[in-house]
């Protein structure tokens, strides 16, 4: 049925998908290429194929190498479960767990990455030179699981977010790719693409990865929308460089993440209508960025409530800024920003936290943001045995006895000038040279 | 084909899916559990399965009980049709109708709910105690149809929005569930979940239900995005309680709905970039809510234009507020709010409607909202025989002769103080104690 | 397997899907209708069916005519590649290309449209009179390719965006349709629907079409969300008329497009959290529109950087306004708008460009928009042989030596009055009668 261009990995005559799905998919790819060789006969070309991965556990020992357009790899379940929680449960309790591993259509990445060779650790490597750029490869609704992180010397291997593995690595320029409905877990890099055009990363679950989505090289006109994501403390949830016209919208990004969104050399792009939650400063970082819009987002920064991870952070001090902007002509409009932290966790001790910090550049426009900064005078440390969910929800919902935390709601460094800051804080919460910036504070009563 | 973890309900040896799909799915679930018992062999676990429901009418007489992770139930069509319109067409015309019932991959919920036992009326009951929380169950692209509402004493049974039935009921804490592409119709409760984490309710059609989506208990880090929804006049389109980090974005929610969004004890969450339409006050209700963002939404409240439903409303008076906020530190920024209603429909007669009402709490921030309040001096009641679509579109598009309606654009009650209200109305449209709130009106010419 | 309501076009006994998939699908439709005739037996009706199109090249010589509800047509790949780039590559290089044609589950529209008969050129024609409106037809994840444009007399046929072909044409009122994950390419009209209710056009790739999405007649309560789109210079990326409650959100719309969004007689609708990029004035056009919200969007207008298309534009002068509003009570809040253009490209020469223009109507509300207008003193024309991607990304990222361009950031014509313009520009950048409009400029230092 379904013609020759429909493949089921459990129904292919070469290899065993349960012991090495990589060998099976590469064999299927060879078959597609052997059958589809003509580019232009009767207006027909090489339409590609769909490779279906039913629910199941599939070890991957051989890297999948994709160099054809119009390939769709599709599963029947993103299969996320929190491996981080499990690894931080005492192992003697594992026998009582209903599930140990993620599930769905699950790829177990058994690759052994070579040191300093990022490509070697990619479960799916997409690469093709020449014209046109490889186009319309689609990844949909399966799970890529890196299984374990590795020790970095601290003796806490499963909390390092390091293992040299990548889920999907697109090494060459590509057009109109789709990544949808995936679950991507316990990989050092979830999804890494170079030179993207018209990319869609939509409605995925990419969490407990060192980094979630990285757009490297350069690119344009793409969207990262409606995802649930959260990287480890060492990496980015979303990273982009040298990009124009990127839309980051309607994502719910949770901790940890060294940053939530880190843009370097990104221009004329949008970060809108997202919900961002972080345990550290530096939630949104713009380096050498211009004419971007940050609007209608909810930012929350509080302190790590879960004991196993309280020893880790991203190393930044609290005056770095939750929003840290180097660049010109960016817009920060109509956001809600909550920072709530007990005084003893400020880093370094006694520092005044900064919420929005304009570090360098000119003519940024910051208007109509609502900043709520609070602290709790005498909060007790949570008991060490509360679950991650209970700890996080408890922290989110425990708001009694909050008192105002003194912050620099907006700080403009000397290297940044001609900015416009309107209705975002009182003058007493603003640290800037009022002679070289425009400031209108929230009026008094 | 497709390995052992792919099931088609029309191709299973136990039961008959057309007469009782519940028995069939429960039998499949038993099969999955009998085959998947080991949690950790060679890093493999219990990957779950996919159960496929092709297009068709499937009666459900037995409740489906799901207690395994990584289960995907997938159909081939959300199958919505307006049952409300049909039930309000004279029955002698039914013989001329192309379609009577919803379609697609349609589950007919024939359960007989027991009184005061909400669970008994659930087509799909998900429940599992112990650790980890049940994870990654996915419902995709089928239709759950409750068929009929029941009389509540008014002799108008199909317009009661009451029948004790629920589409999907998740009774225990759960992680990373997905509900996508579904059609959910004529149920008292569409989707009800307790203690959700990282839930995605995305791109569904949930309408003509008593309530659409209810998130009960507590929860965090979830999204309700890009849905078309509309509850009955007795229930909520979106309800959440004790939740942190909920993202409600890019939904188009239409009448009726006692409320569009009702949050109770919800914190640090977002309602952004939605389109909301209601026929009653109380579109957005925050009870005991804190630090939430309401931004870039379009609110429209007008009067019920469709004769069969004009006898019903949500019982609230017009001074309740279209946006009704009890709580502190919330943000209402950059929304458009249209209220248009003929004077004779004001409730009680002669009352001055309230658009944004801050009832209690402190330090809410209301800025840059555009409020358009209009009335029509001498509009004639529409003829009784216009179709629902014509009546609604006609009402939406008939804007001639609108004149300004006198409202309290922003009212701040005495129990709410230290709020900031900027650029949202003229001083003459603001009702508050200007000594204990900050107010900057839209300037005069 | 999969019951009787699952059809695979490659496995049907009538016709040959590779030579005429239209004949095959129409035969399948006839089969569905012959089997599904009763509307109400045991609460069952006509559930419809799913028609699966595996990856492959399928010529369509016979128009598909759909007149049943609950039909799903589903493929395994949207298959986009840039045909525009290919057609502008010298043909002697084609032999070296990896791919010539789009792919995935690809319909080749071989219809020969009759002149002045738009319907004759539609690959999929949906039409049914009577009640209820045809409902819940779903198009998912396949490719509709028009293959070629035709000469309009300029001797540059493949760049005309004219061929009389339409991908999906819905001629009669319809309810709850879904268009998802599609690729729609090289058609004069991508998707055209009349009288839509509760339509979802979500997560598609609709590009290199004369027009992308057109909502004609009238309609309500629909969404166009999370799409990648870009029309030709002659048509609209999004057009709607006489519509209430349309949500246009989270789209990334790129050039060219005579307009990005053109609303005529549209009311109480939303354009939020989009990223829009254009090479011409008239990006967002409201004609006779009322009470709409335009918020949190990123607008970029720059000059066409790709040599093959530099001879074309939409004919509008630079004082037309990037945002052009005829109508009342609309809101333009919290947008970022970048215009960057070298002086020699201004049209007509020497004109002062207009960014936001209120042409007629009253009481529009324009607040907290950030307008960045720049030019480059002595930019060299790009070499003619750079690729489209390089040209566009190069243009997006080349920002050095930008200097301020003198513009009317906001112009209010005499026919428009009682508008409110706040914090969007300096007084020197505003052209309006300050006596009949409210204006508060960005403060000075």
């Amino acid at each position: 049925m379904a013609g020759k261009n429909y493949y089921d990995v459990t129904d292919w005559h070469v290899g065993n998908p349960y012991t090495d799905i990589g060998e099976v998919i590469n064999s299927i790819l060879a078959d597609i290429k052997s059958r589809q060789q003509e580019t232009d006969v009767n207006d027909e070309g090489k339409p590609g194929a769909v490779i279906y991965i039913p629910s199941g556990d599939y070890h991957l020992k051989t890297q999948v190498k994709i160099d054809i357009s119009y390939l769709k790899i599709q599963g029947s379940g993103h299969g996320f479960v929190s491996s981080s929680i499990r690894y931080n449960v005492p192992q003697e309790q594992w026998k009582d767990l209903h599930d140990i591993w993620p599930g769905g259509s699950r790829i177990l990445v058994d690759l052994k990455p070579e040191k300093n060779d990022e490509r070697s650790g990619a479960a799916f490597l997409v690469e093709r030179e020449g014209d046109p750029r490889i186009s319309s490869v689609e990844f949909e609704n399966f799970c890529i699981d890196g299984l374990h992180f590795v020790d970095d010397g601290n003796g806490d291997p499963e909390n390092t977010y390091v293992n040299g593995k990548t889920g999907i690595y697109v090494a060459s320029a590509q057009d109109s790719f789709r990544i949808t409905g995936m679950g991507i877990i316990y990989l050092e890099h979830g999804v890494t693409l170079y030179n993207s055009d018209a990319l869609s990363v939509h409605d995925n679950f990419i969490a407990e990865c060192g980094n979630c989505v990285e757009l490297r090289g350069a690119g344009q006109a793409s969207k990262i929308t409606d995802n649930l994501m959260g990287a480890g403390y060492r990496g980015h949830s979303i990273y982009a460089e040298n990009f124009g016209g990127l839309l980051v919208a309607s994502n719910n990004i949770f901790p940890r993440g060294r940053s939530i969104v880190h843009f370097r050399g990104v221009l004329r792009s949008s970060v809108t209508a997202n919900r961002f939650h972080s345990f550290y400063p530096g939630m949104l970082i713009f380096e050498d960025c211009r004419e971007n819009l940050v609007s209608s987002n909810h930012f929350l920064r509080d302190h790590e409530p879960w004991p196993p991870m309280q020893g880790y952070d991203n190393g930044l001090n609290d005056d770095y800024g939750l929003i840290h902007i180097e660049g010109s002509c960016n817009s920060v409009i109509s956001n809600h920003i909550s920072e709530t932290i007990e005084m003893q966790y400020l880093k370094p001790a006694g520092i005044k936290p900064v919420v929005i910090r304009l570090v360098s550049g000119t003519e940024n426009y910051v208007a109509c943001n609502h900043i709520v900064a609070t602290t709790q005078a005498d909060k007790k440390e949570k008991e060490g045995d509360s679950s991650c969910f209970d700890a996080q929800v408890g922290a989110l919902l425990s708001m009694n006895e909050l008192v105002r935390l003194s912050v620099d709601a907006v700080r403009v460094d000397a290297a940044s000038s001609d900015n416009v800051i309107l209705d975002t804080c009182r003058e007493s919460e603003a640290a800037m040279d009022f002679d070289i910036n425009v400031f209108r504070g929230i009026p008094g009563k």
Side-chain angles (χ1 to χ4, degrees), chain A:
Chain A
M1 61 146 284
K4 291 183 178 167
N5 295 326
Y6 182 99
Y7 296 84
D8 181 328
V9 294
T10 65
D11 196 28
W12 185 244
H13 58 88
V14 174
N16 176 338
Y18 303 108
T19 56
D20 185 11
I21 196 172
E23 183 192 359
V24 171
I25 294 178
N26 284 337
S27 168
I28 291 171
L29 289 169
D31 186 68
I32 299 166
K33 287 193 281 186
S34 73
R35 294 190 302 102
Q36 298 183 8
Q37 301 205 356
E38 297 300 320
T39 56
D40 187 14
V41 175
N42 191 25
D43 294 342
E44 299 160 27
K46 301 187 280 187
V50 52
I51 299 177
Y52 176 54
I53 305 172
S55 307
D57 285 307
Y58 304 92
H59 290 269
L60 183 146
K61 295 192 168 60
T62 306
Q63 183 177 67
V64 174
K65 297 193 180 185
I66 297 173
D67 61 355
I68 58 168
S69 294
Y70 321 127
L71 179 72
K72 178 168 189 144
I73 303 183
Q74 181 170 23
S76 285
H78 78 299
F80 183 84
V81 78
S82 176
S83 290
S84 174
I85 292 176
R86 180 188 64 251
Y87 282 125
N88 288 290
V89 165
Q91 196 139 2
E92 61 269 22
Q93 296 174 20
W94 285 30
K95 67 180 184 338
D96 301 323
L97 296 178
H98 292 292
D99 304 302
I100 302 289
W101 297 107
S105 296
R106 172 177 174 236
I107 307 290
L108 293 73
V109 183
D110 289 341
L111 296 174
K112 304 203 181 315
E114 292 168 40
K115 200 150 185 124
N116 301 321
D117 180 3
E118 200 178 51
R119 299 157 52 108
S120 69
F124 293 85
L125 174 68
V126 182
E127 189 169 25
R128 187 177 79 180
E129 298 309 314
D131 289 313
R133 295 164 292 167
I134 187 167
S135 300
S136 290
V137 174
E138 306 187 13
F139 297 88
E140 185 172 320
N141 202 215
F142 64 95
C143 176
I144 309 178
D145 180 12
L147 288 99
H148 297 275
F149 292 125
V150 299
D151 200 353
D152 61 356
N154 279 331
D156 187 16
E158 297 295 1
N159 290 331
T160 61
Y161 291 88
V162 171
N163 64 10
K165 297 179 183 176
T166 298
I168 299 169
Y169 189 99
V170 184
S172 50
Q174 91 286 157
D175 193 12
S176 56
F177 273 36
R178 283 168 59 91
I179 298 174
T180 309
M182 298 289 294
I184 298 188
I185 308 155
Y186 254 65
L187 297 150
E188 184 167 338
H189 303 274
V191 174
T192 302
L193 301 100
Y194 283 83
N195 299 315
S196 295
D197 193 357
L199 167 70
S200 174
V201 178
H202 176 67
D203 197 22
N204 299 286
F205 199 111
I206 308 178
E208 303 186 352
C209 288
N211 300 264
C212 295
V213 178
E214 294 160 272
L215 305 184
R216 302 184 188 162
Q220 70 169 349
S222 296
K223 62 186 173 82
I224 300 174
T225 55
D226 223 313
N227 299 285
L228 293 162
M229 289 203 269
Y233 55 91
R234 278 194 157 124
H236 312 291
S237 287
I238 295 176
Y239 173 80
E241 63 189 17
N242 307 316
F243 222 96
L246 178 62
L247 174 67
V248 175
S250 295
N251 298 287
N252 193 329
I253 307 189
F254 34 79
R256 290 161 196 89
R258 183 172 83 201
S259 64
I260 303 283
V261 174
H262 188 142
F263 282 174
R264 179 177 288 144
V266 171
L267 308 166
R268 296 157 174 172
S269 292
S270 261
V271 178
T272 47
N274 299 284
R275 182 257 169 174
F276 294 151
H277 182 194
S278 171
F279 297 142
Y280 323 128
M283 297 180 69
L284 175 74
I285 301 173
F286 282 0
E287 275 184 90
D288 192 22
C289 287
R290 208 186 138 93
E291 299 184 35
N292 300 294
L293 172 63
V294 179
S295 180
S296 291
N297 301 289
H298 192 288
F299 293 82
L300 166 63
R301 186 264 159 128
D302 55 5
H303 184 68
E304 169 79 65
W306 194 40
M309 300 304 289
Q310 285 178 330
Y312 301 102
D313 67 21
N314 70 349
L316 294 174
N317 286 344
D318 277 300
D319 62 352
Y320 186 81
L322 297 187
I323 297 176
H324 178 100
I325 295 182
E326 305 171 22
S328 298
C329 299
N330 299 290
S331 302
V332 180
I333 312 175
S334 301
N335 301 286
H336 179 106
I337 311 173
S338 284
E339 172 152 17
T340 186
I341 186 166
E342 294 103 89
M343 302 299 290
Q344 69 264 36
Y345 297 126
L346 290 175
K347 184 172 170 179
I351 201 168
K352 198 176 192 183
V354 176
V355 178
I356 299 175
R357 182 164 173 185
L358 307 181
V359 178
S360 58
T362 65
E363 296 182 59
N364 297 292
Y365 180 94
V366 178
C368 277
N369 303 286
H370 184 203
I371 296 173
V372 179
T374 53
T375 189
Q376 216 161 344
D378 51 358
K379 189 177 174 186
K380 292 220 177 54
E381 183 75 30
K382 277 292 195 331
E383 294 304 311
D385 62 352
S386 67
S387 80
C388 180
F389 179 70
D390 289 344
Q392 290 192 358
V393 173
L396 274 168
L397 300 181
S398 76
M399 308 267 233
N400 300 327
E401 303 169 54
L402 289 179
V403 296
R404 190 172 296 212
L405 173 68
S406 175
V407 297
D408 283 345
V410 181
R411 180 188 295 182
V412 183
D413 291 358
S416 187
S417 63
D418 290 301
N419 302 290
V420 173
I421 296 98
L422 305 175
D423 299 334
T424 293
C425 62
R426 267 77 180 189
E427 187 168 334
S428 60
E429 301 162 311
M432 70 186 68
D433 182 339
F434 294 100
D435 290 335
I436 61 168
N437 294 287
V438 171
F439 179 84
R440 183 180 74 219
I442 295 171
K445 277 179 281 200

